[in-house]
Amino acid sequence: MKTKLHLLLFILSFTTTSLALPPLSPVRSSDDRQLSRGSTRALEFNEALLPDGMQNMGTHPGAQIQVIRLVKNAPTAVTGLRFKTVMNTRLGARQVDLITDASGTITLPSCSQSTLVLQSEFREPRYGISSRRKYYSLRVEVPCQAKTVLVFKEDSPAGQVVSIHQVIQRAIATLAQVSDFKFWDRPIRFIFPSDGDYYSNDQVNLTLGHQWDVVGHEMGHAIYDQARIGLFGGGSHKIDECYTNAMALSEGWASFFSGWIHIDLRDPDAKFEYLVPRRAPIRFEHVPSDVCGKSTNEWRVNSFFWDLIDLNADGEVSQIAAKRLWDDMLDARAGSVKAAAERLMSRGWDKSQVLQVWKLNFPQDAR
Ligand SMILES: [Zn+2]
């Protein structure tokens, strides 16, 4: 139900395109070579995907298809996957559009033929997942009068494409709580496998699709760009060092986005898994003391934003804070986390609270 509502909002909002503004600066990219273990040599995959397995789970009056992906051997739902199929009806053959729900399931009340051919393309108005050559697709034949589970492995080629789709769905579900999606007016193309993990001009390049935190970080750059939250830095960077204001803000915000869409705000030990292997796992709550202590450090910028919205143990208050943060940073075009903090205070955030979070996270930067 919730997913359907999100989807409806998503479709509705897409019909109202907002005015495209010129890019913030010539640099709209981030080079994240430090971020993952992925090879910089792109492999070529077959773009026509197949599930890694199919399980028959008993009978059904029509047909039921559930799509799951195994993560550490536990099933996770593949939501928001759109399929087309052709069904025989009394009025003849008819094309039907279907979409997996919050549990990854499609249910057809009746199915009079013996099998159904389901076809999906990983290409939506706002995003697409492709190799360097073409968009990925999925074609599968399932029996009628049966319950079938389509299984993807955690990091098989098809499983990695599905993983990217899952990160995008989480981002959309999270953004639906705070945004009308008007800011998202250019399609984002996710290229996998690519020659590195980086973002450049509406293209998210990925070496490994199952690295949920890295995928979320790179998508975070794309959202930061479209929502005109701030400037980009440019050049390479290291998570434990200090560099320019704009780079620390854009990199820290991208990591914050990845955490926000994946991790419960009440988690007492919020952390990434794959991001920056040299320092993994990256923890948000206690930044190690050897990490540069200034506001030009991306790890600390991530923790600063996280602390602004997780201060309250009550999940609902956190959601209100997240909505406020989103609204106040939309179109901010900030050049530093300091400018971001000042903007929040000028928009009515509790000054002593913001300063407290500032001091906590940037010990070497007295204001
Ligand atoms: Zn980055």
Side-chain angles (χ1 to χ4, degrees), residues 123-156:
R123 188 178 190 176
E124 297 286 325
R126 278 202 167 85
Y127 65 87
I129 310 172
S130 72
S131 72
R132 297 202 148 205
R133 292 179 303 194
K134 59 193 258 197
Y135 288 92
Y136 286 101
S137 63
L138 177 64
R139 185 181 184 277
V140 62
E141 192 167 357
V142 297
C144 282
Q145 289 85 51
K147 291 182 190 170
T148 308
V149 180
L150 309 181
V151 183
F152 290 90
K153 289 183 183 166
E154 180 164 3
D155 58 359
S156 65

Short mmCIF file of all heavy atoms in Angstrom, two decimals, residues 123-156:
data_model
loop_
_atom_site.label_atom_id
_atom_site.label_comp_id
_atom_site.label_asym_id
_atom_site.label_seq_id
_atom_site.Cartn_x
_atom_site.Cartn_y
_atom_site.Cartn_z
N ARG A 123 14.62 0.51 -17.03
CA ARG A 123 14.63 1.85 -17.60
C ARG A 123 13.31 2.53 -17.29
O ARG A 123 12.25 2.12 -17.77
CB ARG A 123 14.81 1.75 -19.11
CG ARG A 123 15.03 3.09 -19.73
CD ARG A 123 15.26 2.96 -21.20
NE ARG A 123 15.71 4.24 -21.74
CZ ARG A 123 16.06 4.41 -23.01
NH1 ARG A 123 16.02 3.40 -23.85
NH2 ARG A 123 16.43 5.60 -23.43
N GLU A 124 13.39 3.54 -16.45
CA GLU A 124 12.22 4.30 -16.00
C GLU A 124 12.42 5.75 -16.43
O GLU A 124 13.50 6.14 -16.83
CB GLU A 124 12.13 4.21 -14.47
CG GLU A 124 11.91 2.80 -13.94
CD GLU A 124 10.48 2.33 -14.17
OE1 GLU A 124 9.56 3.16 -14.11
OE2 GLU A 124 10.30 1.13 -14.45
N PRO A 125 11.35 6.57 -16.32
CA PRO A 125 11.53 7.98 -16.71
C PRO A 125 12.65 8.68 -15.94
O PRO A 125 13.39 9.48 -16.50
CB PRO A 125 10.19 8.61 -16.37
CG PRO A 125 9.21 7.49 -16.44
CD PRO A 125 9.96 6.26 -15.99
N ARG A 126 12.83 8.33 -14.66
CA ARG A 126 13.83 9.06 -13.86
C ARG A 126 15.18 8.37 -13.77
O ARG A 126 16.15 8.99 -13.34
CB ARG A 126 13.30 9.25 -12.43
CG ARG A 126 12.37 10.43 -12.32
CD ARG A 126 12.32 10.91 -10.88
NE ARG A 126 11.68 12.21 -10.82
CZ ARG A 126 10.37 12.36 -10.75
NH1 ARG A 126 9.57 11.33 -10.73
NH2 ARG A 126 9.86 13.58 -10.71
N TYR A 127 15.26 7.10 -14.09
CA TYR A 127 16.55 6.41 -13.98
C TYR A 127 16.58 5.21 -14.90
O TYR A 127 15.54 4.70 -15.34
CB TYR A 127 16.81 5.96 -12.53
CG TYR A 127 15.83 4.91 -12.05
CD1 TYR A 127 16.07 3.54 -12.27
CD2 TYR A 127 14.66 5.26 -11.40
CE1 TYR A 127 15.17 2.58 -11.85
CE2 TYR A 127 13.76 4.31 -10.97
CZ TYR A 127 14.02 2.97 -11.21
OH TYR A 127 13.12 2.03 -10.80
N GLY A 128 17.79 4.74 -15.16
CA GLY A 128 17.97 3.51 -15.91
C GLY A 128 19.24 2.83 -15.44
O GLY A 128 20.15 3.50 -14.93
N ILE A 129 19.29 1.51 -15.57
CA ILE A 129 20.52 0.78 -15.22
C ILE A 129 21.00 0.10 -16.50
O ILE A 129 20.24 -0.66 -17.13
CB ILE A 129 20.26 -0.28 -14.12
CG1 ILE A 129 19.53 0.33 -12.92
CG2 ILE A 129 21.59 -0.91 -13.68
CD1 ILE A 129 19.06 -0.69 -11.89
N SER A 130 22.22 0.39 -16.88
CA SER A 130 22.71 -0.12 -18.15
C SER A 130 24.17 -0.52 -18.06
O SER A 130 24.88 -0.12 -17.14
CB SER A 130 22.55 0.94 -19.24
OG SER A 130 23.51 1.97 -19.04
N SER A 131 24.59 -1.31 -19.02
CA SER A 131 26.02 -1.52 -19.22
C SER A 131 26.49 -0.29 -20.00
O SER A 131 25.73 0.67 -20.17
CB SER A 131 26.27 -2.79 -20.03
OG SER A 131 25.89 -2.57 -21.37
N ARG A 132 27.69 -0.33 -20.51
CA ARG A 132 28.13 0.81 -21.32
C ARG A 132 27.38 0.82 -22.64
O ARG A 132 27.32 1.86 -23.30
CB ARG A 132 29.62 0.69 -21.58
CG ARG A 132 30.37 0.76 -20.27
CD ARG A 132 31.78 1.18 -20.49
NE ARG A 132 32.19 1.94 -19.32
CZ ARG A 132 33.15 2.84 -19.34
NH1 ARG A 132 33.75 3.13 -20.45
NH2 ARG A 132 33.48 3.47 -18.23
N ARG A 133 26.81 -0.35 -23.02
CA ARG A 133 26.17 -0.43 -24.34
C ARG A 133 24.66 -0.21 -24.29
O ARG A 133 24.11 0.55 -25.06
CB ARG A 133 26.42 -1.82 -24.95
CG ARG A 133 27.85 -2.08 -25.32
CD ARG A 133 28.02 -3.46 -25.90
NE ARG A 133 27.54 -4.48 -24.96
CZ ARG A 133 27.81 -5.77 -25.08
NH1 ARG A 133 28.48 -6.21 -26.12
NH2 ARG A 133 27.37 -6.64 -24.18
N LYS A 134 23.98 -0.96 -23.38
CA LYS A 134 22.53 -0.87 -23.40
C LYS A 134 21.90 -1.16 -22.04
O LYS A 134 22.57 -1.65 -21.13
CB LYS A 134 21.96 -1.80 -24.46
CG LYS A 134 22.31 -3.26 -24.28
CD LYS A 134 21.98 -4.04 -25.55
CE LYS A 134 20.69 -4.81 -25.36
NZ LYS A 134 20.52 -5.88 -26.38
N TYR A 135 20.61 -0.86 -21.95
CA TYR A 135 19.90 -1.04 -20.69
C TYR A 135 19.69 -2.53 -20.41
O TYR A 135 19.50 -3.33 -21.32
CB TYR A 135 18.55 -0.31 -20.74
CG TYR A 135 18.74 1.18 -20.66
CD1 TYR A 135 18.85 1.95 -21.81
CD2 TYR A 135 18.86 1.81 -19.42
CE1 TYR A 135 19.08 3.32 -21.74
CE2 TYR A 135 19.09 3.18 -19.34
CZ TYR A 135 19.20 3.92 -20.50
OH TYR A 135 19.42 5.27 -20.42
N TYR A 136 19.72 -2.87 -19.13
CA TYR A 136 19.48 -4.25 -18.73
C TYR A 136 18.00 -4.59 -18.86
O TYR A 136 17.13 -3.71 -18.73
CB TYR A 136 19.92 -4.48 -17.28
CG TYR A 136 21.43 -4.52 -17.14
CD1 TYR A 136 22.12 -3.41 -16.66
CD2 TYR A 136 22.15 -5.65 -17.50
CE1 TYR A 136 23.50 -3.43 -16.55
CE2 TYR A 136 23.53 -5.68 -17.40
CZ TYR A 136 24.19 -4.57 -16.92
OH TYR A 136 25.57 -4.59 -16.83
N SER A 137 17.72 -5.86 -19.12
CA SER A 137 16.35 -6.33 -19.19
C SER A 137 16.28 -7.71 -18.55
O SER A 137 17.32 -8.34 -18.30
CB SER A 137 15.88 -6.41 -20.65
OG SER A 137 16.68 -7.35 -21.35
N LEU A 138 15.08 -8.12 -18.28
CA LEU A 138 14.86 -9.41 -17.62
C LEU A 138 13.68 -10.06 -18.31
O LEU A 138 12.65 -9.42 -18.56
CB LEU A 138 14.55 -9.14 -16.14
CG LEU A 138 14.20 -10.28 -15.22
CD1 LEU A 138 15.38 -11.24 -15.09
CD2 LEU A 138 13.85 -9.74 -13.83
N ARG A 139 13.84 -11.33 -18.69
CA ARG A 139 12.73 -12.04 -19.32
C ARG A 139 12.64 -13.41 -18.67
O ARG A 139 13.64 -14.13 -18.59
CB ARG A 139 13.01 -12.21 -20.83
CG ARG A 139 11.85 -12.83 -21.60
CD ARG A 139 12.24 -12.97 -23.06
NE ARG A 139 11.12 -13.48 -23.84
CZ ARG A 139 10.80 -14.76 -23.94
NH1 ARG A 139 11.52 -15.68 -23.31
NH2 ARG A 139 9.75 -15.14 -24.67
N VAL A 140 11.45 -13.74 -18.18
CA VAL A 140 11.31 -15.01 -17.48
C VAL A 140 9.94 -15.60 -17.74
O VAL A 140 8.94 -14.88 -17.86
CB VAL A 140 11.61 -14.82 -15.97
CG1 VAL A 140 10.64 -13.86 -15.32
CG2 VAL A 140 11.66 -16.13 -15.23
N GLU A 141 9.89 -16.92 -17.88
CA GLU A 141 8.62 -17.61 -18.11
C GLU A 141 8.25 -18.35 -16.83
O GLU A 141 9.06 -19.13 -16.31
CB GLU A 141 8.77 -18.60 -19.28
CG GLU A 141 7.44 -19.13 -19.76
CD GLU A 141 7.55 -19.85 -21.11
OE1 GLU A 141 8.66 -19.89 -21.68
OE2 GLU A 141 6.52 -20.39 -21.56
N VAL A 142 7.06 -18.07 -16.32
CA VAL A 142 6.62 -18.70 -15.07
C VAL A 142 5.31 -19.45 -15.29
O VAL A 142 4.52 -19.08 -16.15
CB VAL A 142 6.45 -17.66 -13.93
CG1 VAL A 142 7.76 -16.98 -13.59
CG2 VAL A 142 5.37 -16.64 -14.28
N PRO A 143 5.06 -20.52 -14.52
CA PRO A 143 3.82 -21.26 -14.68
C PRO A 143 2.62 -20.53 -14.09
O PRO A 143 2.76 -19.79 -13.11
CB PRO A 143 4.08 -22.57 -13.92
CG PRO A 143 5.13 -22.22 -12.92
CD PRO A 143 5.96 -21.13 -13.53
N CYS A 144 1.44 -20.71 -14.67
CA CYS A 144 0.19 -20.23 -14.07
C CYS A 144 -0.28 -21.27 -13.05
O CYS A 144 0.28 -22.36 -12.97
CB CYS A 144 -0.88 -20.01 -15.14
SG CYS A 144 -0.62 -18.47 -16.05
N GLN A 145 -1.30 -20.91 -12.26
CA GLN A 145 -1.82 -21.76 -11.17
C GLN A 145 -0.70 -22.18 -10.20
O GLN A 145 -0.70 -23.29 -9.67
CB GLN A 145 -2.54 -23.02 -11.72
CG GLN A 145 -3.88 -22.75 -12.38
CD GLN A 145 -3.71 -22.38 -13.85
OE1 GLN A 145 -3.03 -23.09 -14.59
NE2 GLN A 145 -4.29 -21.26 -14.26
N ALA A 146 0.25 -21.30 -10.04
CA ALA A 146 1.38 -21.64 -9.15
C ALA A 146 1.96 -20.39 -8.50
O ALA A 146 1.75 -19.28 -8.97
CB ALA A 146 2.48 -22.33 -9.97
N LYS A 147 2.64 -20.64 -7.38
CA LYS A 147 3.43 -19.58 -6.74
C LYS A 147 4.88 -19.84 -7.09
O LYS A 147 5.39 -20.94 -6.86
CB LYS A 147 3.28 -19.66 -5.21
CG LYS A 147 1.91 -19.30 -4.68
CD LYS A 147 1.96 -19.38 -3.16
CE LYS A 147 0.58 -19.27 -2.57
NZ LYS A 147 0.56 -19.59 -1.13
N THR A 148 5.51 -18.82 -7.63
CA THR A 148 6.90 -18.98 -8.05
C THR A 148 7.76 -17.89 -7.39
O THR A 148 7.33 -16.75 -7.28
CB THR A 148 7.01 -18.82 -9.59
OG1 THR A 148 6.08 -19.71 -10.20
CG2 THR A 148 8.42 -19.12 -10.09
N VAL A 149 8.93 -18.29 -6.94
CA VAL A 149 9.88 -17.30 -6.41
C VAL A 149 11.06 -17.21 -7.36
O VAL A 149 11.66 -18.23 -7.71
CB VAL A 149 10.37 -17.68 -4.99
CG1 VAL A 149 11.36 -16.63 -4.47
CG2 VAL A 149 9.19 -17.80 -4.03
N LEU A 150 11.34 -15.99 -7.81
CA LEU A 150 12.53 -15.75 -8.64
C LEU A 150 13.65 -15.32 -7.70
O LEU A 150 13.49 -14.35 -6.95
CB LEU A 150 12.27 -14.65 -9.67
CG LEU A 150 11.01 -14.79 -10.54
CD1 LEU A 150 10.93 -13.61 -11.52
CD2 LEU A 150 11.02 -16.11 -11.30
N VAL A 151 14.74 -16.05 -7.73
CA VAL A 151 15.81 -15.81 -6.77
C VAL A 151 17.05 -15.23 -7.47
O VAL A 151 17.52 -15.78 -8.46
CB VAL A 151 16.22 -17.12 -6.05
CG1 VAL A 151 17.29 -16.85 -5.00
CG2 VAL A 151 15.00 -17.80 -5.43
N PHE A 152 17.53 -14.12 -6.92
CA PHE A 152 18.81 -13.55 -7.37
C PHE A 152 19.82 -13.70 -6.25
O PHE A 152 19.49 -13.53 -5.08
CB PHE A 152 18.65 -12.07 -7.74
CG PHE A 152 17.84 -11.86 -8.98
CD1 PHE A 152 16.46 -11.72 -8.91
CD2 PHE A 152 18.45 -11.85 -10.23
CE1 PHE A 152 15.70 -11.55 -10.06
CE2 PHE A 152 17.69 -11.68 -11.39
CZ PHE A 152 16.32 -11.53 -11.30
N LYS A 153 21.04 -14.03 -6.63
CA LYS A 153 22.10 -14.13 -5.63
C LYS A 153 22.64 -12.75 -5.29
O LYS A 153 22.46 -11.81 -6.05
CB LYS A 153 23.23 -15.02 -6.16
CG LYS A 153 22.85 -16.49 -6.25
CD LYS A 153 24.04 -17.31 -6.71
CE LYS A 153 23.65 -18.77 -6.87
NZ LYS A 153 24.68 -19.51 -7.63
N GLU A 154 23.34 -12.67 -4.17
CA GLU A 154 23.82 -11.37 -3.69
C GLU A 154 24.72 -10.66 -4.71
O GLU A 154 24.53 -9.48 -4.97
CB GLU A 154 24.60 -11.56 -2.37
CG GLU A 154 25.14 -10.24 -1.82
CD GLU A 154 25.55 -10.33 -0.36
OE1 GLU A 154 25.48 -11.42 0.22
OE2 GLU A 154 25.93 -9.28 0.20
N ASP A 155 25.67 -11.41 -5.28
CA ASP A 155 26.64 -10.72 -6.14
C ASP A 155 26.89 -11.41 -7.47
O ASP A 155 27.95 -11.27 -8.07
CB ASP A 155 27.96 -10.50 -5.38
CG ASP A 155 28.56 -11.81 -4.89
OD1 ASP A 155 27.93 -12.87 -5.13
OD2 ASP A 155 29.65 -11.79 -4.29
N SER A 156 25.91 -12.17 -7.95
CA SER A 156 26.00 -12.67 -9.33
C SER A 156 25.84 -11.45 -10.25
O SER A 156 25.39 -10.39 -9.79
CB SER A 156 24.87 -13.66 -9.60
OG SER A 156 23.62 -12.98 -9.53
#
